Amino acid sequence: ELLDQLREDLSDAVTSLRRTIGALRPLVLDQCGLVTAVHDLAHATRSRAALADCSVSDRLGDERLDPDAETALFRVAQQALANIEQHAAARHVRIVLERSGPAVSLRVQDDGRGFDPAEVEVLAGHQGFGLTSMRERVQALGGQLAIDTGRGGTCIHAWVPATPGLARPR
């Protein structure tokens, strides 16, 4: 009986560990790359949020990015789209992925109601850590995050080095 319980506990632990590993580096990035993964996010968000449009513009070319850069940009896109779905009341979203010199950038722009970033950052301890986690992800790679928001919508713009160890853009 004790052995059966240990097997069940071990199985639960392995399942939990696999979930955690998958959350760190989504399988879709390894299988399909950043562009396809972001297209999939955009499509799912458009359906769930009943958006009129959620387009992705790919200006990266065929070369794959550093895995850490892909993961960071994917997670920023994922969080930005979750925020749009939950809070923005947007109708249109535009996502742009592009390489600019030594950096790769992701821009997620919506036509929603906007927000006060200072107010959201203060509430982060109670509502979640979306903006904080986005900023920390890109800064950990030597990148930067810019947020431009107002009544006409919000633009989240993240830059990360295309290759590990490169300086961030100015």
Side-chain angles (χ1 to χ4, degrees):
E1 191 175 302
L2 180 60
L3 209 49
D4 287 339
Q5 183 60 46
L6 287 172
R7 281 187 186 116
E8 186 178 326
D9 289 348
L10 182 58
S11 177
D12 291 346
V14 168
T15 300
S16 177
L17 182 59
R18 285 185 176 148
R19 251 193 316 268
T20 300
I21 290 169
L24 293 174
R25 173 86 178 155
L27 189 58
V28 68
L29 289 176
D30 289 329
Q31 292 175 339
C32 305
L34 179 63
V35 174
T36 299
V38 170
H39 272 283
D40 290 351
L41 282 175
H43 179 73
T45 301
R46 180 179 183 196
S47 296
R48 283 192 313 268
L51 297 170
D53 183 45
C54 190
S55 65
V56 178
S57 176
D58 165 26
R59 301 177 190 155
L60 290 178
D62 294 333
E63 186 180 336
R64 289 291 298 263
L65 304 176
D66 172 69
D68 291 336
E70 282 189 343
T71 300
L73 293 176
F74 175 80
R75 293 298 188 199
V76 169
Q78 187 177 45
Q79 184 62 55
L81 290 170
N83 289 347
I84 290 167
E85 184 178 340
Q86 293 171 8
H87 308 293
R91 295 292 299 137
H92 302 274
V93 176
R94 183 167 183 241
I95 303 165
V96 178
L97 289 160
E98 65 186 332
R99 188 180 295 263
S100 176
V104 177
S105 98
L106 164 78
R107 192 170 56 252
V108 181
Q109 188 163 6
D110 71 64
D111 63 353
R113 64 174 137 232
F115 63 95
D116 179 353
E119 185 178 309
V120 172
E121 296 275 359
V122 168
L123 296 174
H126 302 288
Q127 302 295 323
F129 296 97
L131 295 177
T132 301
S133 68
M134 284 191 272
R135 183 169 283 112
E136 288 175 353
R137 281 183 187 281
V138 298
Q139 286 177 345
L141 297 177
Q144 57 191 14
L145 182 80
I147 302 167
D148 183 20
T149 184
R151 290 179 190 247
T154 299
C155 182
I156 303 286
H157 198 169
W159 298 267
V160 296
T163 307
L166 293 178
R168 65 182 180 194
R170 297 273 179 225

